[in-house]
Amino acid sequence: MDKLSKQYGDLMSIKLGFVDAVVVSSYDAIKDLCQKEETLGRQCDGIWWDRNLKKNQGLGFSNDEPWAEMRKFCRDSLRNYGFGSREAMEYLVMDELLELVKYIDQHRRRHPEGRIKFSTNYFHFSFANLMASMLIGKRFSYDDYDLQELLVHGHNFIKNGIVGAGILTAYPFLKSIFPETSGYKTQIEAMYGIQRIAQHMLNRRRTEDYKMNPRCFTDDFLNKIDEDASNPQPIFTADNYKVVFGDLMQGGTDTTGNSVNFTLLLLTAHQDVQEKLYKEIENICGIDKYPSLEDKPSMIYTQAVLLEGYRWGRILVHGLPKKVTEDFVYREYTFRKVDNRISILLKTVCKLM
């Protein structure tokens, strides 16, 4: 795709099987098009339609009123439980960091030479717990069965979708012919695994005093389900909760955890950078104190290292597909809403500011 973009430019029309698409591959074009109201639609077909339980619901791949209503609800509810608040998020992160350090230290002590075998799940555990604290009002133990299952299912869904989901979007009939080879079967199993856990969490919160004393996102959602019960076409349902739960847990865990893991891998390969990073942290925070957001303005080198990790660790090959909702013109090119299968594929690029 890079070679084609260099030959045909940063706006390129392409036929992907049965799908007409536009590949956008420059920072400026992506920024311009993402801000247009006509490209706010979410392309929901293939495995994503199955994941949405074949309904216009969820947060990541819904459209029109259900998306707008769910987006507003998720934003307002999560803010009530710390999301977006500097002080609340720092408290949650610090609390989880202490648990992570304790967990790693326990593994280190079990080794006769005080070594540990690094696991990529360490940070996935932590980020999953940050989301869980807001979604269900509690964190998991790192050995908790539900947490382990969430991470396994989330990993399997994304891993098998790297190649399979793209092929099946272009040629949807292949999922019936090659369900295992294409990864479709594994993705469906992973999807149902995550949604079973979501249903379990919903049922557990139903037994609590969620009406009089809401303590998490799920409690708020249960109240909305009760309010929406008399609506002939309710937006807030148990099925919608299961999809939204998967959207938030997967979106807030896997990509973030992989970014941190990649940054650590880079630090392992560049010992000189690791040493400079350690010295800055030691000079500013000392050895008896964890870094806080108050230290951030003084930790210039640390910020640069993190940004460089993000630049190198490109987690996604392309962004989530968008859908053109209305005809519009951009740079003398006409983007048409012919049918629901025309999308704008946003290729992730990095730009040094």
Side-chain angles (χ1 to χ4, degrees), residues 125-138:
F125 288 154
S126 297
F127 291 119
N129 267 331
L130 289 175
M131 288 303 304
S133 297
M134 293 180 282
L135 291 181
I136 60 175
K138 76 177 189 71

Side-chain angles (χ1 to χ4, degrees), residues 89-130:
M89 288 303 298
E90 183 172 18
Y91 173 80
L92 289 174
V93 169
M94 189 60 67
D95 186 54
E96 193 58 40
L97 176 62
L98 295 174
E99 293 293 334
L100 176 61
V101 171
K102 185 191 303 181
Y103 182 75
I104 294 175
D105 191 54
Q106 288 173 353
H107 280 253
R108 181 186 64 81
R109 292 176 183 274
R110 293 172 189 168
H111 194 280
E113 297 180 9
R115 298 179 181 178
I116 63 169
K117 181 180 179 181
F118 179 75
S119 170
T120 56
N121 279 340
Y122 286 156
F123 296 105
H124 287 71
F125 288 154
S126 297
F127 291 119
N129 267 331
L130 289 175

Side-chain angles (χ1 to χ4, degrees), residues 174-227:
L174 291 178
K175 70 181 181 182
S176 301
I177 304 174
F178 307 110
E180 295 186 4
T181 306
S182 65
Y184 176 76
K185 181 180 178 182
T186 303
Q187 283 194 294
I188 290 295
E189 291 173 351
M191 175 195 78
Y192 284 130
I194 293 172
Q195 293 183 357
R196 277 196 301 271
I197 295 172
Q199 184 66 61
H200 174 61
M201 298 300 164
L202 190 69
N203 293 341
R204 179 183 294 176
R205 294 305 306 170
R206 277 190 184 278
T207 64
E208 303 291 334
D209 187 20
Y210 69 88
K211 290 186 177 182
M212 300 300 295
N213 185 30
R215 296 190 293 110
C216 61
F217 174 89
T218 302
D219 288 354
D220 291 347
F221 207 103
L222 283 168
N223 280 309
K224 294 294 287 186
I225 290 177
D226 293 343
E227 292 175 13

